[in-house]
Amino acid sequence: MDIEQLDAVLISTSLSSIAEKLAKLSEKSWGWDILVPILTAGLVAVIASLLTNFFNKRLQHASDRAAVQRYKESQLIERENLNREAINEVLLLANSCYTNLIAIKDNYSERLTSNLYARVSEVPVIKTVKFEPVDYRVLTRLSFVAPKEGEELKTWSQIPQMEMMFSNYNSLMGLWQERNVMAQEYLESRIAERSGSSDSGTSAESNNQMPPHHIQLLMQITERCIGLTSEVMTDLDDFISNFKEAFKPSLNKELPPELLTRVFHFDEENQAQRRVIFEHEVKPDFSVLRPEFPDEATYRQFIHSLVSRHERDLIV
């Protein structure tokens, strides 16, 4: 066999091998046709599951954050409303005290003269007003009005200042009760004097039923009641008018206003009208007492114990 024949045989063999392989590749594989869709479906399911889980977690996280935010906001609203209710409560308390003192003062203010001993009778036994102390524990809920370190200190942002005002009011109520008892005794003694003098034909002076030092004490407690009433009224008026300057900075202005308790507002014009009702009240003339004291300092110390601290500079 020559070389050309050998080459032809090799080529023929190679072509037959290639054709056989191609035929095998073209044969249909039933196993592959089943496996591929299963694998594809499984892969799609896994990917879909992973994506669903991912998005669910993101949605849940967003929902949780929204729920936390709503809870925080509801807590802020609740706390803010408690603060506002405390503000309203103390303002109403102060206004109630102020109104009560107006009723008390209305019994004597226009009747007063400058004569110290005449004023004892000019201030009657007051029976139209209840002299009851007030409960001011609401002040324990107002700590939020206290300024933070470095902030400007407002007059009514100090709890002790408010405590002193209401404490003075309660003391005043007790003082008026005591004065009523003494004034009633004085009134009864005067009635007895007049009755005795008319029956016996003697003068009222000779039948004086009340010792002079009792009259002196009645004069002092009368002036202390008048002075402390004016003092507490001035403080209450200032509180009602200016407490807003203390609590306004502490109000939360970022919360929905429709969900918040409205803070009471007292009309300034109406408050100004109440303020001037008794501005023409006649002051007492204490100069008649000056000879009874060894020096000016002792005299002024005694007078200052009777009058309003807001009027001490007016005393001569």
Side-chain angles (χ1 to χ4, degrees), residues 195-217:
S195 174
S197 61
S198 62
D199 291 342
S200 62
T202 57
S203 64
E205 287 76 6
S206 63
N207 289 284
N208 197 329
Q209 302 292 316
M210 179 170 278
H213 71 278
H214 283 189
I215 298 176
Q216 183 78 9
L217 288 175

PDB file of all heavy atoms in Angstrom, residues 195-217:
ATOM      1  N   SER A 195     -74.600  99.889 126.104  1.00  0.00           N
ATOM      2  CA  SER A 195     -75.750  99.432 126.886  1.00  0.00           C
ATOM      3  C   SER A 195     -75.598  99.839 128.350  1.00  0.00           C
ATOM      4  O   SER A 195     -76.542 100.316 128.996  1.00  0.00           O
ATOM      5  CB  SER A 195     -75.877  97.913 126.765  1.00  0.00           C
ATOM      6  OG  SER A 195     -76.887  97.429 127.604  1.00  0.00           O
ATOM      7  N   GLY A 196     -74.385  99.694 128.885  1.00  0.00           N
ATOM      8  CA  GLY A 196     -74.134 100.025 130.287  1.00  0.00           C
ATOM      9  C   GLY A 196     -74.256 101.503 130.547  1.00  0.00           C
ATOM     10  O   GLY A 196     -74.826 101.931 131.573  1.00  0.00           O
ATOM     11  N   SER A 197     -73.760 102.316 129.648  1.00  0.00           N
ATOM     12  CA  SER A 197     -73.803 103.760 129.854  1.00  0.00           C
ATOM     13  C   SER A 197     -75.235 104.287 129.754  1.00  0.00           C
ATOM     14  O   SER A 197     -75.620 105.211 130.469  1.00  0.00           O
ATOM     15  CB  SER A 197     -72.912 104.469 128.820  1.00  0.00           C
ATOM     16  OG  SER A 197     -73.375 104.214 127.496  1.00  0.00           O
ATOM     17  N   SER A 198     -76.036 103.679 128.875  1.00  0.00           N
ATOM     18  CA  SER A 198     -77.423 104.144 128.739  1.00  0.00           C
ATOM     19  C   SER A 198     -78.263 103.709 129.938  1.00  0.00           C
ATOM     20  O   SER A 198     -79.180 104.415 130.358  1.00  0.00           O
ATOM     21  CB  SER A 198     -78.037 103.589 127.443  1.00  0.00           C
ATOM     22  OG  SER A 198     -78.062 102.165 127.479  1.00  0.00           O
ATOM     23  N   ASP A 199     -77.937 102.559 130.524  1.00  0.00           N
ATOM     24  CA  ASP A 199     -78.696 102.065 131.684  1.00  0.00           C
ATOM     25  C   ASP A 199     -78.363 102.839 132.948  1.00  0.00           C
ATOM     26  O   ASP A 199     -79.223 103.141 133.768  1.00  0.00           O
ATOM     27  CB  ASP A 199     -78.435 100.581 131.911  1.00  0.00           C
ATOM     28  CG  ASP A 199     -79.041  99.718 130.812  1.00  0.00           C
ATOM     29  OD1 ASP A 199     -79.918 100.223 130.090  1.00  0.00           O
ATOM     30  OD2 ASP A 199     -78.618  98.548 130.668  1.00  0.00           O
ATOM     31  N   SER A 200     -77.044 103.156 133.103  1.00  0.00           N
ATOM     32  CA  SER A 200     -76.610 103.783 134.353  1.00  0.00           C
ATOM     33  C   SER A 200     -76.472 105.284 134.254  1.00  0.00           C
ATOM     34  O   SER A 200     -76.307 105.965 135.265  1.00  0.00           O
ATOM     35  CB  SER A 200     -75.267 103.191 134.797  1.00  0.00           C
ATOM     36  OG  SER A 200     -74.276 103.459 133.820  1.00  0.00           O
ATOM     37  N   GLY A 201     -76.489 105.762 133.026  1.00  0.00           N
ATOM     38  CA  GLY A 201     -76.340 107.190 132.823  1.00  0.00           C
ATOM     39  C   GLY A 201     -74.905 107.651 132.886  1.00  0.00           C
ATOM     40  O   GLY A 201     -74.630 108.840 132.889  1.00  0.00           O
ATOM     41  N   THR A 202     -73.929 106.726 132.938  1.00  0.00           N
ATOM     42  CA  THR A 202     -72.516 107.081 132.955  1.00  0.00           C
ATOM     43  C   THR A 202     -71.973 107.108 131.552  1.00  0.00           C
ATOM     44  O   THR A 202     -72.597 106.634 130.601  1.00  0.00           O
ATOM     45  CB  THR A 202     -71.716 106.066 133.791  1.00  0.00           C
ATOM     46  OG1 THR A 202     -71.931 104.761 133.240  1.00  0.00           O
ATOM     47  CG2 THR A 202     -72.200 106.075 135.230  1.00  0.00           C
ATOM     48  N   SER A 203     -70.760 107.633 131.389  1.00  0.00           N
ATOM     49  CA  SER A 203     -70.147 107.740 130.063  1.00  0.00           C
ATOM     50  C   SER A 203     -69.635 106.377 129.621  1.00  0.00           C
ATOM     51  O   SER A 203     -69.347 105.498 130.430  1.00  0.00           O
ATOM     52  CB  SER A 203     -68.976 108.732 130.092  1.00  0.00           C
ATOM     53  OG  SER A 203     -67.946 108.237 130.942  1.00  0.00           O
ATOM     54  N   ALA A 204     -69.480 106.241 128.291  1.00  0.00           N
ATOM     55  CA  ALA A 204     -68.991 104.982 127.720  1.00  0.00           C
ATOM     56  C   ALA A 204     -67.566 104.703 128.166  1.00  0.00           C
ATOM     57  O   ALA A 204     -67.182 103.560 128.377  1.00  0.00           O
ATOM     58  CB  ALA A 204     -69.068 105.046 126.188  1.00  0.00           C
ATOM     59  N   GLU A 205     -66.760 105.811 128.349  1.00  0.00           N
ATOM     60  CA  GLU A 205     -65.357 105.601 128.718  1.00  0.00           C
ATOM     61  C   GLU A 205     -65.225 104.902 130.059  1.00  0.00           C
ATOM     62  O   GLU A 205     -64.330 104.096 130.284  1.00  0.00           O
ATOM     63  CB  GLU A 205     -64.622 106.951 128.757  1.00  0.00           C
ATOM     64  CG  GLU A 205     -64.350 107.555 127.380  1.00  0.00           C
ATOM     65  CD  GLU A 205     -65.592 108.168 126.757  1.00  0.00           C
ATOM     66  OE1 GLU A 205     -66.639 108.230 127.450  1.00  0.00           O
ATOM     67  OE2 GLU A 205     -65.528 108.573 125.585  1.00  0.00           O
ATOM     68  N   SER A 206     -66.127 105.226 130.984  1.00  0.00           N
ATOM     69  CA  SER A 206     -66.012 104.640 132.322  1.00  0.00           C
ATOM     70  C   SER A 206     -66.456 103.189 132.351  1.00  0.00           C
ATOM     71  O   SER A 206     -66.226 102.494 133.315  1.00  0.00           O
ATOM     72  CB  SER A 206     -66.853 105.455 133.313  1.00  0.00           C
ATOM     73  OG  SER A 206     -68.226 105.380 132.947  1.00  0.00           O
ATOM     74  N   ASN A 207     -67.111 102.740 131.275  1.00  0.00           N
ATOM     75  CA  ASN A 207     -67.578 101.355 131.210  1.00  0.00           C
ATOM     76  C   ASN A 207     -66.805 100.531 130.179  1.00  0.00           C
ATOM     77  O   ASN A 207     -67.319  99.538 129.668  1.00  0.00           O
ATOM     78  CB  ASN A 207     -69.064 101.319 130.848  1.00  0.00           C
ATOM     79  CG  ASN A 207     -69.935 101.819 131.980  1.00  0.00           C
ATOM     80  OD1 ASN A 207     -70.158 101.122 132.960  1.00  0.00           O
ATOM     81  ND2 ASN A 207     -70.418 103.046 131.839  1.00  0.00           N
ATOM     82  N   ASN A 208     -65.625 100.997 129.832  1.00  0.00           N
ATOM     83  CA  ASN A 208     -64.841 100.306 128.799  1.00  0.00           C
ATOM     84  C   ASN A 208     -64.603  98.856 129.213  1.00  0.00           C
ATOM     85  O   ASN A 208     -64.010  98.583 130.254  1.00  0.00           O
ATOM     86  CB  ASN A 208     -63.487 101.022 128.622  1.00  0.00           C
ATOM     87  CG  ASN A 208     -62.837 100.605 127.318  1.00  0.00           C
ATOM     88  OD1 ASN A 208     -63.021  99.486 126.851  1.00  0.00           O
ATOM     89  ND2 ASN A 208     -62.069 101.538 126.748  1.00  0.00           N
ATOM     90  N   GLN A 209     -65.108  97.928 128.406  1.00  0.00           N
ATOM     91  CA  GLN A 209     -65.024  96.510 128.721  1.00  0.00           C
ATOM     92  C   GLN A 209     -63.746  95.845 128.209  1.00  0.00           C
ATOM     93  O   GLN A 209     -63.448  94.723 128.590  1.00  0.00           O
ATOM     94  CB  GLN A 209     -66.237  95.785 128.105  1.00  0.00           C
ATOM     95  CG  GLN A 209     -67.586  96.307 128.574  1.00  0.00           C
ATOM     96  CD  GLN A 209     -67.808  95.998 130.029  1.00  0.00           C
ATOM     97  OE1 GLN A 209     -67.533  94.902 130.504  1.00  0.00           O
ATOM     98  NE2 GLN A 209     -68.292  96.988 130.774  1.00  0.00           N
ATOM     99  N   MET A 210     -63.006  96.504 127.312  1.00  0.00           N
ATOM    100  CA  MET A 210     -61.813  95.892 126.717  1.00  0.00           C
ATOM    101  C   MET A 210     -60.568  96.649 127.166  1.00  0.00           C
ATOM    102  O   MET A 210     -60.492  97.873 126.991  1.00  0.00           O
ATOM    103  CB  MET A 210     -61.908  95.887 125.189  1.00  0.00           C
ATOM    104  CG  MET A 210     -60.674  95.268 124.505  1.00  0.00           C
ATOM    105  SD  MET A 210     -60.909  95.002 122.725  1.00  0.00           S
ATOM    106  CE  MET A 210     -61.801  93.459 122.763  1.00  0.00           C
ATOM    107  N   PRO A 211     -59.578  95.949 127.750  1.00  0.00           N
ATOM    108  CA  PRO A 211     -58.353  96.615 128.199  1.00  0.00           C
ATOM    109  C   PRO A 211     -57.632  97.295 127.038  1.00  0.00           C
ATOM    110  O   PRO A 211     -57.696  96.830 125.894  1.00  0.00           O
ATOM    111  CB  PRO A 211     -57.512  95.445 128.746  1.00  0.00           C
ATOM    112  CG  PRO A 211     -58.511  94.365 129.049  1.00  0.00           C
ATOM    113  CD  PRO A 211     -59.588  94.518 128.029  1.00  0.00           C
ATOM    114  N   PRO A 212     -56.927  98.402 127.310  1.00  0.00           N
ATOM    115  CA  PRO A 212     -56.240  99.154 126.249  1.00  0.00           C
ATOM    116  C   PRO A 212     -55.244  98.308 125.451  1.00  0.00           C
ATOM    117  O   PRO A 212     -55.111  98.485 124.237  1.00  0.00           O
ATOM    118  CB  PRO A 212     -55.518 100.263 127.026  1.00  0.00           C
ATOM    119  CG  PRO A 212     -56.342 100.447 128.254  1.00  0.00           C
ATOM    120  CD  PRO A 212     -56.844  99.073 128.612  1.00  0.00           C
ATOM    121  N   HIS A 213     -54.546  97.379 126.128  1.00  0.00           N
ATOM    122  CA  HIS A 213     -53.540  96.600 125.382  1.00  0.00           C
ATOM    123  C   HIS A 213     -54.209  95.650 124.385  1.00  0.00           C
ATOM    124  O   HIS A 213     -53.614  95.292 123.370  1.00  0.00           O
ATOM    125  CB  HIS A 213     -52.630  95.830 126.351  1.00  0.00           C
ATOM    126  CG  HIS A 213     -53.287  94.682 127.061  1.00  0.00           C
ATOM    127  ND1 HIS A 213     -54.065  94.846 128.193  1.00  0.00           N
ATOM    128  CD2 HIS A 213     -53.283  93.347 126.787  1.00  0.00           C
ATOM    129  CE1 HIS A 213     -54.502  93.663 128.596  1.00  0.00           C
ATOM    130  NE2 HIS A 213     -54.044  92.729 127.755  1.00  0.00           N
ATOM    131  N   HIS A 214     -55.463  95.254 124.653  1.00  0.00           N
ATOM    132  CA  HIS A 214     -56.210  94.424 123.697  1.00  0.00           C
ATOM    133  C   HIS A 214     -56.552  95.250 122.451  1.00  0.00           C
ATOM    134  O   HIS A 214     -56.497  94.742 121.324  1.00  0.00           O
ATOM    135  CB  HIS A 214     -57.478  93.874 124.339  1.00  0.00           C
ATOM    136  CG  HIS A 214     -57.220  92.717 125.252  1.00  0.00           C
ATOM    137  ND1 HIS A 214     -58.229  91.943 125.809  1.00  0.00           N
ATOM    138  CD2 HIS A 214     -56.056  92.187 125.719  1.00  0.00           C
ATOM    139  CE1 HIS A 214     -57.701  90.998 126.580  1.00  0.00           C
ATOM    140  NE2 HIS A 214     -56.386  91.142 126.547  1.00  0.00           N
ATOM    141  N   ILE A 215     -56.916  96.500 122.681  1.00  0.00           N
ATOM    142  CA  ILE A 215     -57.211  97.388 121.550  1.00  0.00           C
ATOM    143  C   ILE A 215     -55.940  97.613 120.725  1.00  0.00           C
ATOM    144  O   ILE A 215     -55.975  97.651 119.493  1.00  0.00           O
ATOM    145  CB  ILE A 215     -57.790  98.724 122.045  1.00  0.00           C
ATOM    146  CG1 ILE A 215     -59.115  98.472 122.779  1.00  0.00           C
ATOM    147  CG2 ILE A 215     -57.995  99.690 120.888  1.00  0.00           C
ATOM    148  CD1 ILE A 215     -59.732  99.716 123.385  1.00  0.00           C
ATOM    149  N   GLN A 216     -54.804  97.740 121.434  1.00  0.00           N
ATOM    150  CA  GLN A 216     -53.518  97.910 120.746  1.00  0.00           C
ATOM    151  C   GLN A 216     -53.213  96.679 119.885  1.00  0.00           C
ATOM    152  O   GLN A 216     -52.786  96.802 118.737  1.00  0.00           O
ATOM    153  CB  GLN A 216     -52.405  98.121 121.789  1.00  0.00           C
ATOM    154  CG  GLN A 216     -51.034  98.387 121.197  1.00  0.00           C
ATOM    155  CD  GLN A 216     -50.894  99.811 120.700  1.00  0.00           C
ATOM    156  OE1 GLN A 216     -51.777 100.642 120.946  1.00  0.00           O
ATOM    157  NE2 GLN A 216     -49.823 100.095 119.989  1.00  0.00           N
ATOM    158  N   LEU A 217     -53.452  95.512 120.434  1.00  0.00           N
ATOM    159  CA  LEU A 217     -53.211  94.279 119.682  1.00  0.00           C
ATOM    160  C   LEU A 217     -54.148  94.175 118.483  1.00  0.00           C
ATOM    161  O   LEU A 217     -53.749  93.728 117.400  1.00  0.00           O
ATOM    162  CB  LEU A 217     -53.389  93.057 120.595  1.00  0.00           C
ATOM    163  CG  LEU A 217     -52.307  92.803 121.643  1.00  0.00           C
ATOM    164  CD1 LEU A 217     -52.707  91.637 122.541  1.00  0.00           C
ATOM    165  CD2 LEU A 217     -50.963  92.493 120.961  1.00  0.00           C
TER     166      LEU A 217
END
